[in-house]
Structure formats: C-alpha cells, structure tokens
Amino acid sequence: MFWTTGSIVHTNIAMLRYRGKKSALNIVKEFDSFPKVQEEIYEPSTYSNVISTALVSIFGLWIIISEIRYVLQDHSIYRFVPDTEYESKLPINIDITVASTCDSIGADIVDTTGQNMMLFGELKTDDTWWEMTKEQQLHFDQMRDINEYLREEYHSMKDILWMFDDYNRLKNKFPVRTEKPDTLPNACRIHGSLILNKVIGNFHITPGKSLIVPGGHVHLTGPFFGSMATNFSHRIHQFSFGIPTKGLVYSLEGELHIANESNISYKYFIDVVATDVKSHSNEIKTYQYSAKDIQRIIDHNSGSHGMPGIFFQYDINALKVIITEDKITIFQLTIKIASTIGGLFLLFNFMKILLDKLTKKICSNYNINDSNSMEKS
C-alpha cells in the first residue's frame, strides 16, 4: 500500500507540514486573551463621527496655539504684604521745567527727621526756554497722551505694559534741544536724583533761593537775591521713586499746568508704595505712587494765605506690592494641553451620544408616522 499510493502519502505529508507551520499573525492571535467583538456587532462610521473628529482636531489645534501664545507672553502675579523695611532709603528722580528763570526760584526738600537737606544730594538747574522745539513738543505730547490713557485704563492694561517697550523708551529719552532761540532763557529745568529717608516729606519749588539755618531753611527773596518768580507754569518730564522699571505707570509724568494768573500754589499729594518686581533672572526693589493735586491763587487780601510755588507732599504706604513673573514651564504646558485635549474628546463624545440618540428618536418617530399613514391608506 505504501508504494502504490505514493501520491496520497505525499499529499498527507504536505498537509502535515502546512499544519505545523504557523504564521506570526496566528501566534499573536493565540496569545491575545482579550474578548473580541463579533463582526456582526460592528457599526460602520457615520458622517457624524467624521464631523466630530474634524471639529475635535480643529478646536484642539486652536487650543494648542492659544496655550503656546499664552506661554510666550509675560504675565505677573500681584500680592500685598506689610512693608517692614523702615530703614531703607527712598530714591527720587526729578525732571521738571518751570516757566521762571533759575535765579528766581529754589528747589528744596524737608522731611519729618529734620535732616540737613544737603545730605540728600543735589539737583541740577539749567537755564532753558519754555517753548519746546517741534521734536520735543511731539515727544512730550505722545508721553502725555499715553500716560493719560494709562491712568484711566491701568487695571485693564497692566499685563500689556510689561511688553510695551515703546512706552518705556518714550518716557526715558527726552530729545535734546538742537537749536537755541535768539531770546534770553525764560525757564528753568530742575533735574537729578536724591536719596531720601523713608518718611513723610515735602519737595517744593518756591520763589527765591534757600538758605540753610539751624532747624531748617528759609527762602530769601527781594532785590538783593535775584528776580521774583511769579509764574509757576510747569511741565513734568520725570517724577518717580526708586529705580524706573518697565511695567509701572508714574502718574505725574507728562503733567502740564499753565498758569493764567500770578502767585498760584500747586500742591501734589503723593502716596508712595514700595514695590518688589521679581522675575526668573533678577529682583528689583522700586516704588510706585498715586497722586492728587489742587491749585489755588495766593491772595492775602482775600484771606488766601501761603506761598506760591510747586509742592510735592509724599507719604509712605504701610503696604508693599510684590509683583512676581508667572512663567509656565514646558512640563506644565504639556500637562495642560493633554488635560485640555482629553476633556475636549470627552465633551465631543458626550455631544455625539446625545446627537445620535436624538437622531434615532426622530427617525423612529418618522418611521412610525409613515407606517400609520400607510395602514390608513
């Protein structure tokens, strides 16, 4: 039998060899112990699934782009704490032009410590002209308009200010006069920096030159001490405390007052707040302030007594503001995007389920109505 049925034996051997050789796919299927869904239960994809996938992809891409743009921007966190640095100093930066000659006015400062004002430093006085050049006028008008807008919209603009480099360059670089008028100087520019005590004080510009006496100083006026100043029209190019810092608004910069009458007293009441600006690279201790102003005519005959001039009365707030740069790391960004996309998929899946149920209910009601109409016919 063996030799007479050689062809049959050859076929059986071939079949045995085929059974003994398993493909890689069959081996993987044997190791796969998870239950499988039967093919008749599979539901083919519908147009709603395609639309949902497209919407998820578009919306997810938009979220990723928005998160990346948010990370690239500068953001800050504000905290208020008590100010306990009583012994620290208070730098003040001043650049003011007054419509009176330098020999007719004097600038001084006093505080509650009674310290000699010469220990605070010295301000420079330069003879100049009240009328500005076109370049200076344009620069001052731009600074004034921007600062006036920021005073009104500061709370909604505070995050943008940290990126607004044009504003910070504008307020720190006043153009130098290139052409001098043919007339004599009729104004005085008072500028410089002083180191003050961190207490209540008064910086003022008044008629006459000051003379230091025991317990304070006096202002000397009269024919022997120069001309008498009567016009205290002024413009403020710079008035800040501490280190001028990007992102802070100094409300008096760009201020302009033109006196239509003589012997007017201008008073500014300033509340100074210590401010610590902390970033990932450095930390700056500076100050910001709020200000109110009043003005009145000095007329002793009508009972309005006092001295004409420009007075800046400042007080130190008991609170300190700490501004911390809020920077998101790549790890935090990845987690945030992943959680957002996961929530997005859950939301669209839930919406798809509701839409499918609503569609099936509408279709079933339509089929029932259709069958009822056919039975009646």
Side-chain angles (χ1 to χ4, degrees):
M1 289 293 291
F2 183 81
W3 287 273
T4 58
T5 59
S7 60
I8 299 176
V9 173
H10 178 74
T11 304
N12 291 336
I13 292 173
M15 291 177 63
L16 289 174
R17 288 178 181 176
Y18 175 75
R19 291 174 182 175
K21 187 177 180 180
K22 298 181 179 179
S23 63
L25 180 61
N26 293 331
I27 295 174
V28 172
K29 287 182 177 181
E30 290 180 0
F31 281 104
D32 189 3
S33 59
F34 293 98
K36 299 296 179 292
V37 180
Q38 300 177 6
E39 293 185 0
E40 57 270 14
I41 302 179
Y42 278 108
E43 182 179 355
S45 299
T46 60
Y47 288 108
S48 61
N49 293 336
V50 177
I51 295 174
S52 298
T53 303
L55 291 176
V56 168
S57 302
I58 296 172
F59 198 59
L61 181 62
W62 177 76
I63 289 179
I64 293 175
I65 295 174
S66 300
E67 291 292 343
I68 294 176
R69 291 180 60 186
Y70 179 83
V71 169
L72 295 178
Q73 295 176 357
D74 294 331
H75 299 275
S76 54
I77 300 175
Y78 295 80
R79 293 190 299 115
F80 294 88
V81 297
D83 185 12
T84 57
E85 299 179 1
Y86 309 110
E87 301 297 330
S88 60
K89 295 297 182 178
L90 179 65
I92 183 173
N93 311 293
I94 299 170
D95 190 351
I96 302 174
T97 301
V98 183
S100 295
T101 57
C102 290
D103 62 350
S104 63
I105 59 175
D108 305 292
I109 190 166
V110 293
D111 61 20
T112 55
T113 63
Q115 185 176 342
N116 191 331
M117 63 180 183
M118 298 299 294
L119 300 177
F120 298 144
E122 185 178 0
L123 295 175
K124 298 179 181 179
T125 57
D126 298 332
D127 291 320
T128 186
W129 290 265
W130 177 252
E131 294 78 12
M132 293 181 287
T133 63
K134 292 183 179 180
E135 185 180 5
Q136 290 176 333
Q137 187 69 52
L138 179 61
H139 183 279
F140 186 80
D141 290 342
Q142 289 178 348
M143 182 175 65
R144 185 184 181 189
D145 293 341
I146 293 176
N147 230 28
E148 184 178 356
Y149 174 75
L150 293 178
R151 283 198 295 265
E152 301 295 330
E153 303 293 337
Y154 174 68
H155 294 286
S156 61
M157 296 284 293
K158 59 182 175 59
D159 291 333
I160 302 178
L161 288 175
W162 298 96
M163 301 178 292
F164 198 3
D165 293 330
D166 293 338
Y167 165 70
N168 296 281
R169 286 193 297 266
L170 181 66
K171 68 179 183 179
N172 292 328
K173 292 184 179 180
F174 189 73
V176 179
R177 183 185 293 271
T178 56
E179 298 180 359
K180 295 183 179 180
D182 298 332
T183 59
L184 293 175
N186 59 357
C188 182
R189 179 191 175 199
I190 303 172
H191 60 99
S193 298
L194 302 173
I195 305 298
L196 312 178
N197 297 313
K198 203 172 178 180
V199 295
I200 299 174
N202 185 334
F203 168 72
H204 50 270
I205 302 172
T206 54
K209 294 299 181 181
S210 63
L211 177 65
I212 299 175
V213 297
H217 67 279
V218 295
H219 291 267
L220 303 176
T221 59
F224 298 102
F225 303 100
S227 59
M228 180 70 175
T230 58
N231 187 358
F232 281 96
S233 300
H234 61 280
R235 57 176 177 262
I236 302 176
H237 305 283
Q238 183 182 16
F239 194 93
S240 62
F241 295 89
I243 302 173
T245 305
K246 171 184 174 182
L248 299 183
V249 176
Y250 304 109
S251 55
L252 290 182
E253 294 183 352
E255 194 75 10
L256 174 65
H257 283 285
I258 299 177
N260 297 322
E261 299 184 25
S262 59
N263 297 328
I264 296 182
S265 173
Y266 298 93
K267 285 190 177 181
Y268 296 92
F269 301 92
I270 302 172
D271 185 21
V272 183
V273 181
T275 305
D276 293 351
V277 182
K278 298 181 180 180
S279 63
H280 294 279
S281 57
N282 60 354
E283 179 179 350
I284 300 175
K285 292 184 176 294
T286 185
Y287 299 86
Q288 54 185 329
Y289 62 87
S290 61
K292 299 178 181 179
D293 67 282
I294 61 172
Q295 61 186 52
R296 63 187 180 93
I297 300 175
I298 303 300
D299 187 1
H300 299 288
N301 296 326
S302 62
S304 178
H305 302 292
M307 178 181 290
I310 308 168
F311 301 86
F312 299 88
Q313 298 182 6
Y314 59 89
D315 192 4
I316 311 300
N317 198 290
L319 294 178
K320 175 196 290 188
V321 180
I322 299 178
I323 304 175
T324 307
E325 183 182 2
D326 185 19
K327 205 71 174 180
I328 300 178
T329 61
I330 300 299
F331 180 71
Q332 293 174 333
L333 176 63
T334 304
I335 294 177
K336 194 172 183 179
I337 292 177
S339 60
T340 303
I341 294 178
L344 189 63
F345 271 102
L346 289 177
L347 176 62
F348 273 90
N349 191 24
F350 180 71
M351 293 176 61
K352 176 183 175 300
I353 293 173
L354 292 179
L355 184 62
D356 290 343
K357 288 185 177 181
L358 182 62
T359 305
K360 289 180 180 178
K361 187 174 182 180
I362 293 174
C363 292
S364 61
N365 291 335
Y366 177 77
N367 292 332
I368 292 172
N369 294 332
D370 191 17
S371 60
N372 292 333
S373 60
M374 292 179 64
E375 290 177 357
K376 291 180 180 180
S377 60

